[in-house]
Amino acid sequence: MKKRNPFPILPYPHLLGIKDLSKTTILALLDRADATVAFSHKHKKSLLHGKTQVNLFFEASTRTQSSFEIAGKRLGANVINMLIGNSSIKKGETLIDTAITLNAMSPDILVIRHSSAGAAALLAQKVDCSVINAGDGAHEHPTQALLDALTIRRTKGKIENLIVAICGDILHSRVARSNILSLNTLGAQVRIVAPSTLLPTGIEDMSVTVFHSMTKGIQDADVVMMLRLQHERMIQALIPSTREYFHFYGLDREKLKKAKPDCIVMHPGPMNRGVEISSSVADGPQSVIQTQVKMGIAVRMAVMEALLDSQRER
Amino acid sequence: MKPILLKNARIVDPSRNIDEVGHVIIAEGKILAAGNEVRNQGMPDEADIINLKGKAIFPGLVDARVFVGEPGAEHRETIASASYAAATGGITSFIMMPDTQPVIDNVALVEFVLQTAKEAALVNIYPTASLTSGMNGKQITEFGLLKEVGAIALSEGKKTIHNANLMRLAMTYARDFDMPIIHETQDAELSAHGVMNAGLMASWLGLSGIPREAEVIPLERDLRLATLTGAQYHASQISTAMSVQAIGYAKEKTKNVSAGVSINHLTLNENDIGEYRTFFRLSPPLRAEEDRIAMVNALRDGIVDIIVSSHDPQGADTKRLPFSDAQPGATGLETLLAAALRLYHNGLIPLTRLIDSLSTKPAKIFGLDAGTLKPGASADLIIVDLHEPWILKVDRLNSCSKNSPFENIHFQGRVLATMVKGKIVFYSHGLENIKNASLSYKKYQGNKV
């Protein structure tokens, strides 16, 4: 007989964004993920045995999709990857019709990535199972923020009062929004470094300090988080050239010297080497980019476990 | 046809600055008399008498911005269904925008709208014609011929004329025919890909913003051209405090400009979008609370002349989508008065000014026989309970589309009966006797399609 958890970590059956999570909830998820890291590389019991997890990726993804797939499989779930390229979505079916169709097949967890902000929330209204937002437009990417927090906590031992500089294309970045929310909730000092054309309106009111100079922005930072320059979303020419961008905002060894000597360098991937980050830094001793990928699986396992707990409670 | 006597109602007639308890006498589709002094006059023999103690009578509302799906998108709204929704909402005349498929840009289509309205509509429908052929923004339409067959104004509907020289030409030519130009301004490039008001809320939601400047830059251009050409220019619906300033400045220079605001921008703001609620996706987008307050003040002070419903029916095919993929627009005919009465009940706008902006003023701007209870005017009026509480259930809407931003909202004040040219076209519970009172009841015949 399964043990019932009287206090589920997640109060809701979905994980749509960091915005809905309290500090306690985030910390509890991190603790659970922390405990999972040790054996996240092998099959863990069979918590999700007999459960069906559907990965619905409307946008191309390598690491997030495979991370969710591996996390699900290591928990014993049956994982189905919907191939959008071959499906009826290509034939003009709307997101809601797809959701209703999938819902009729009674999955337990839906993992969705979509190019439109709010797509995950829309889906969650129409299905009976748990929905995990794996990135919706420029809105949120909660599991990325959780794995980033876990990476920071494991390398630095804490998050509170650390100086974290998030650098680059904030405007198009869901990772930035989720990280601003989670790092602020966890008590870090968040800095934003970017040219003004890559910043959303009202960024100053998001509890961050804004810098337009990289050297000033990463001065004494404990963590430098680089973001990918999202060429595919750049509808207009927001920057004149990648050459100029790298000169002023690309992270190289020289600029990194401004940060604290033990500063760690993060990147959610995929990287544009030579655009926002130089190879010498990306592969250098301060880089924790591979750790982030590893933490990704642990965090996603923890999230799925927590969602099933809260499902049982409903 | 027997005369009708409506007794002891609160009569509000902004055209004569009247707000008093009195009677209204209607005969042969016209108003014979309305006001307090009627109490002392002799009554016509054999009149049907309806006592309306505690109720109010206004001139029927005139809505200057209504989108209809006919021709081309009849599943969203037909001329007949729009007129039924209008009658329910107390709107006795509306101006129909030319955004149909095909676009109303020629004489035959104007005649089609007028003919269909004559056969099927419960209320007066005044068509506009597009400013440019097929709304291509290049070649102006036949203003003179369009006016001759009954187009009352020129409008590019939801579109903005991009070319300043073309706008100047259109205004210059329209002036010769005394044709008003109704224009909505939104700079296509500044608003490109934007789906809601630019600001912190849009940034958190990860949605592209439309800055206020996108509205005011082409508006200022238009206002200067209106001053230059002397054309009658009506800003279709403005939404920002900056636009109010621009209109106020232009009005100091010239008498031929006017402006409207949609009921949505008077009563809602961007926070209503909440978690991506597509019924609140509008164009122009719902702005911040400061802008909403500026719009209310501008309406009270008369800088903004009129309130429009911006009725824009959309179906599940265009609204049940992620926010940025959904079409903008909201229905509004049936909620216009109830939503506007919030401004009266909150003490923000006096009742006479409110009815002026919903009825008298739009009729005056576009030269329509409406918006007044003067003796001799067409008997277009509504009977209203100013205080009845009710909740809007979208499945009860008579419009073919249900995309109301006021879903489940509590309203105070409701239309009890609507009369067009002396005929009752809508009545609600408690006023069944109005139907029996006269044989002039005209009923909704359903959609033709």
Side-chain angles (χ1 to χ4, degrees), chain A residues 109 153 202 206 222 303:
Chain A
I109 293 178
R153 201 172 75 166
M206 290 184 172
D222 297 288
V303 165

PDB file of all heavy atoms in Angstrom, chain A residues 109 153 202 206 222 303:
ATOM      1  N   ILE A 109       0.606  12.999 -16.456  1.00  0.00           N
ATOM      2  CA  ILE A 109       1.388  14.227 -16.474  1.00  0.00           C
ATOM      3  C   ILE A 109       1.557  14.684 -17.915  1.00  0.00           C
ATOM      4  O   ILE A 109       1.868  13.881 -18.800  1.00  0.00           O
ATOM      5  CB  ILE A 109       2.784  14.010 -15.835  1.00  0.00           C
ATOM      6  CG1 ILE A 109       2.645  13.718 -14.332  1.00  0.00           C
ATOM      7  CG2 ILE A 109       3.680  15.221 -16.052  1.00  0.00           C
ATOM      8  CD1 ILE A 109       3.947  13.437 -13.637  1.00  0.00           C
ATOM      9  N   ARG A 153      22.870  26.430  -4.986  1.00  0.00           N
ATOM     10  CA  ARG A 153      22.895  26.041  -3.580  1.00  0.00           C
ATOM     11  C   ARG A 153      23.925  24.951  -3.321  1.00  0.00           C
ATOM     12  O   ARG A 153      24.605  24.960  -2.300  1.00  0.00           O
ATOM     13  CB  ARG A 153      21.503  25.584  -3.139  1.00  0.00           C
ATOM     14  CG  ARG A 153      21.322  25.655  -1.636  1.00  0.00           C
ATOM     15  CD  ARG A 153      19.909  25.389  -1.203  1.00  0.00           C
ATOM     16  NE  ARG A 153      19.584  23.967  -1.295  1.00  0.00           N
ATOM     17  CZ  ARG A 153      18.495  23.437  -0.714  1.00  0.00           C
ATOM     18  NH1 ARG A 153      17.646  24.202  -0.058  1.00  0.00           N
ATOM     19  NH2 ARG A 153      18.250  22.157  -0.829  1.00  0.00           N
ATOM     20  N   GLY A 202       9.678  48.192 -17.870  1.00  0.00           N
ATOM     21  CA  GLY A 202       9.367  48.058 -16.443  1.00  0.00           C
ATOM     22  C   GLY A 202      10.299  47.133 -15.685  1.00  0.00           C
ATOM     23  O   GLY A 202      10.012  46.752 -14.549  1.00  0.00           O
ATOM     24  N   MET A 206      11.074  45.096 -11.250  1.00  0.00           N
ATOM     25  CA  MET A 206      11.026  43.652 -10.992  1.00  0.00           C
ATOM     26  C   MET A 206      11.977  43.262  -9.856  1.00  0.00           C
ATOM     27  O   MET A 206      12.467  42.134  -9.812  1.00  0.00           O
ATOM     28  CB  MET A 206      11.391  42.893 -12.268  1.00  0.00           C
ATOM     29  CG  MET A 206      10.346  42.982 -13.370  1.00  0.00           C
ATOM     30  SD  MET A 206      10.810  41.953 -14.777  1.00  0.00           S
ATOM     31  CE  MET A 206       9.331  42.047 -15.786  1.00  0.00           C
ATOM     32  N   ASP A 222      28.771  36.677  -7.303  1.00  0.00           N
ATOM     33  CA  ASP A 222      29.027  35.289  -6.905  1.00  0.00           C
ATOM     34  C   ASP A 222      28.627  34.329  -8.013  1.00  0.00           C
ATOM     35  O   ASP A 222      29.154  33.228  -8.119  1.00  0.00           O
ATOM     36  CB  ASP A 222      28.209  34.952  -5.648  1.00  0.00           C
ATOM     37  CG  ASP A 222      28.613  35.803  -4.458  1.00  0.00           C
ATOM     38  OD1 ASP A 222      29.698  35.580  -3.929  1.00  0.00           O
ATOM     39  OD2 ASP A 222      27.822  36.714  -4.104  1.00  0.00           O
ATOM     40  N   VAL A 303       9.958  17.282  -9.028  1.00  0.00           N
ATOM     41  CA  VAL A 303       8.712  17.975  -9.362  1.00  0.00           C
ATOM     42  C   VAL A 303       7.612  16.967  -9.686  1.00  0.00           C
ATOM     43  O   VAL A 303       6.468  17.090  -9.228  1.00  0.00           O
ATOM     44  CB  VAL A 303       8.943  18.951 -10.536  1.00  0.00           C
ATOM     45  CG1 VAL A 303       7.626  19.392 -11.144  1.00  0.00           C
ATOM     46  CG2 VAL A 303       9.749  20.157 -10.080  1.00  0.00           C
TER      47      VAL A 303
END
